[in-house]
Amino acid sequence: MRVLVIGSGGREHALIRSLAQDPDVTALHCAPGNYGTAAIADNHVLDPTDPIAVVELAQRLGIGLVVIGPELPLVNGVADAVRRAGILCFGPDRAAAEIEGSKAFAKEIMAEAGVPTAAARVCEDSGEVRDALDEFGPPYVVKDDGLAAGKGVVVTDDRELAERHADDCDRVLVEEFLSGPEVSVFALTDGVTAVPLLPAQDFKRAFDGDEGPNTGGMGAYAPLPWAPADLAEQIVSTVIQPTIDELRRRETPYVGVLYAGLVLTEAGPRVIEFNARFGDPETQVVLDRLATPLSGLLEACAVGTLGSVPTIEWHPGAAVTVVIAAENYPDAPVTGDPIAGLEEAEEVEGAYVLHAGTKPERGLPVTGGGRVLNVVGTGPDVATARDRAYEAVGRIRVRGGQHRTDIAARA
Ligand code: AMP
Ligand code: GLY
């Protein structure tokens, strides 16, 4: 199969890496890709959110399956265009991707489908915001309704900050604060059948101890040694299956991976967000553990045959990824800084480096985005995987680079 992956982050490098090891993949292309994907796939320059550009490239390359990584192309209708052109596509149509594109829409689907989630009010003006903040009390949870690259959510005890964030957004959700451990559960789906992947945990805050602003994610690990063994199955039956059934009932079937971000509260799991794609950086650790060839799974989703795919196999052991971010991430990351020590990092047993915001400059890698690298450590358990990841991180030098030192520490 000839595969084209759309996107340029660490998630896409992880997808490309899995597909490069897959015997059923005969040609591998990425657009736009990064410094790391260029080493194992053909990178192509294009605007990933432009449906026509993606279809033209896929046709020119004779692609059999297009895999869409990020949310913006999905919400922009790239999957619709690819399918309309008669090419298999992994990723939901625009209508189904609204589950990520609008948090108010996601709440509507969950209410209809009986999916447990934080109580919320959709607010259009500051009066409604004040009433909702009064109703729920602190800590305040205020979410931009639309896409915000992981930076649209403010959780704070500071009432003024909560109101200011709401003023900066058009439409917001004010939500009940949920307390408990957070997990990310991904399920592959062809619109009818849902198959869960390994649950993972992501670290969203910029600084150690879960301090600082929310980011796209500063690290992740999988599996979760402390979670109940049937967690993924439980989430499929209470969250994922009812949601995809509701989308199918609305004649907007969901094809791709549905990502449920959950808080495991004392009263049971509650959804805090849906994403219409693989999570980043959770995908980097989840795919690392996947033993079943990836392309067949993605193709089965696109074709509609996921129900007849054999049970997914996983490698034993664990993976931990630590994000190295650019100076000033997430506010205004500095780019163009040289990156050194990549080869030394990969000499650490069980460790390797996935590229995220990197680009070539005179043939050498420099920073080109907020999250620059995902350093992955693997091993028989989380502790070993974590030690290896951090040993590799210690060998990499990025001027102004920052990373958390407590990824997977409590696990
Ligand atoms: P989201 O982008 O919706 O995943 O939110 C980003 C982060 O904000 C989450 O990972 C949580 O840590 C936090 N968060 C979101 N919603 C809630 C909530 N209802 N209660 C507590 N924390 C939340
Ligand atoms: N890691 C969180 C996300 O991909 O949204």
Side-chain angles (χ1 to χ4, degrees):
M1 193 187 335
R2 299 174 64 82
V3 183
L4 168 63
V5 175
I6 301 299
S8 62
R11 165 187 48 217
E12 285 73 31
H13 193 186
L15 286 162
I16 294 273
R17 186 175 185 271
S18 285
L19 292 166
Q21 294 165 356
D22 183 332
D24 294 327
V25 174
T26 52
L28 195 46
H29 296 270
C30 193
N34 58 38
Y35 189 92
T37 64
I40 45 176
D42 290 331
N43 276 0
H44 301 269
V45 178
L46 103 178
D47 171 2
T49 66
D50 178 351
I52 294 168
V54 172
V55 168
E56 278 176 2
L57 179 66
Q59 285 172 332
R60 183 159 62 76
L61 298 170
I63 294 299
L65 175 69
V66 175
V67 178
I68 301 177
E71 59 275 23
L72 276 175
L74 295 166
V75 169
N76 218 31
V78 171
D80 309 53
V82 171
R83 271 192 274 275
R84 223 179 296 125
I87 301 170
L88 290 177
C89 185
F90 180 86
D93 280 348
R94 182 205 298 255
E98 269 303 280
I99 197 118
E100 174 165 4
S102 163
K103 291 185 190 280
F105 176 75
K107 288 289 183 194
E108 182 190 315
I109 296 287
M110 285 188 271
E112 202 64 45
V115 170
T117 181
R121 303 283 169 263
V122 180
C123 304
E124 309 275 354
D125 61 47
S126 52
E128 289 178 2
V129 168
R130 284 197 188 91
D131 289 347
L133 293 173
D134 287 341
E135 179 188 351
F136 292 122
Y140 303 106
V141 182
V142 180
K143 302 186 169 185
D144 193 336
D145 178 54
L147 292 181
K151 293 154 213 159
V153 177
V154 163
V155 180
T156 179
D157 284 320
D158 181 341
R159 171 86 183 216
E160 240 174 79
L161 189 71
E163 290 186 13
R164 219 176 320 128
H165 180 60
D167 287 342
D168 287 343
C169 309
D170 257 358
R171 178 152 88 146
V172 296
L173 256 74
V174 174
E175 219 173 78
E176 159 198 21
F177 176 84
L178 298 175
S179 106
E182 276 182 50
V183 299
S184 304
V185 175
F186 305 160
L188 301 177
T189 175
D190 58 4
V192 178
T193 302
V195 177
L197 303 181
L198 278 188
Q201 198 171 45
D202 172 30
F203 293 75
K204 289 244 173 68
R205 299 288 189 129
F207 311 132
D208 284 357
D210 293 327
E211 302 282 342
N214 269 314
T215 71
M218 294 297 289
Y221 67 97
L224 309 177
W226 50 268
D230 68 344
L231 177 66
E233 284 70 27
Q234 205 185 311
I235 299 306
V236 166
S237 64
T238 59
V239 172
I240 305 278
Q241 193 69 52
T243 301
I244 65 166
D245 289 348
E246 173 61 20
L247 288 166
R248 194 174 65 249
R249 195 186 65 73
R250 293 176 177 224
E251 295 177 4
T252 53
Y254 189 102
V255 172
V257 56
L258 181 60
Y259 164 146
L262 305 137
V263 174
L264 306 183
T265 72
E266 273 171 11
R270 298 278 182 277
V271 175
I272 50 171
E273 66 164 345
F274 277 127
N275 291 321
R277 48 161 176 96
F278 282 110
D280 188 335
E282 297 97 311
T283 300
Q284 289 80 317
V285 288
V286 171
L287 291 185
D288 180 86
R289 297 291 88 197
L290 181 69
T292 303
L294 179 62
S295 71
L297 296 173
L298 303 183
E299 184 185 22
C301 293
V303 176
T305 54
L306 193 61
S308 52
V309 162
T311 308
I312 295 182
E313 310 269 353
W314 299 97
H315 297 300
V320 173
T321 187
V322 177
V323 170
I324 299 181
E327 182 176 21
N328 250 329
Y329 177 75
D331 287 342
V334 178
T335 61
D337 282 316
I339 300 166
L342 293 173
E343 277 154 29
E344 292 92 320
E346 296 209 326
E347 282 164 13
V348 175
E349 185 188 351
Y352 60 92
V353 180
L354 295 171
H355 288 242
T358 64
K359 58 181 184 186
E361 202 172 276
R362 292 184 216 99
L364 293 172
V366 300
T367 61
R371 291 182 293 174
V372 179
L373 299 167
N374 307 142
V375 181
V376 182
T378 64
D381 49 51
V382 173
T384 311
R386 171 177 153 55
D387 287 346
R388 290 171 173 173
Y390 275 109
E391 191 182 340
V393 167
R395 297 182 181 198
I396 294 174
R397 294 173 307 282
V398 181
R399 199 209 57 80
Q402 42 162 330
H403 64 269
R404 281 182 60 161
T405 64
D406 62 350
I407 303 301
R410 284 184 32 222

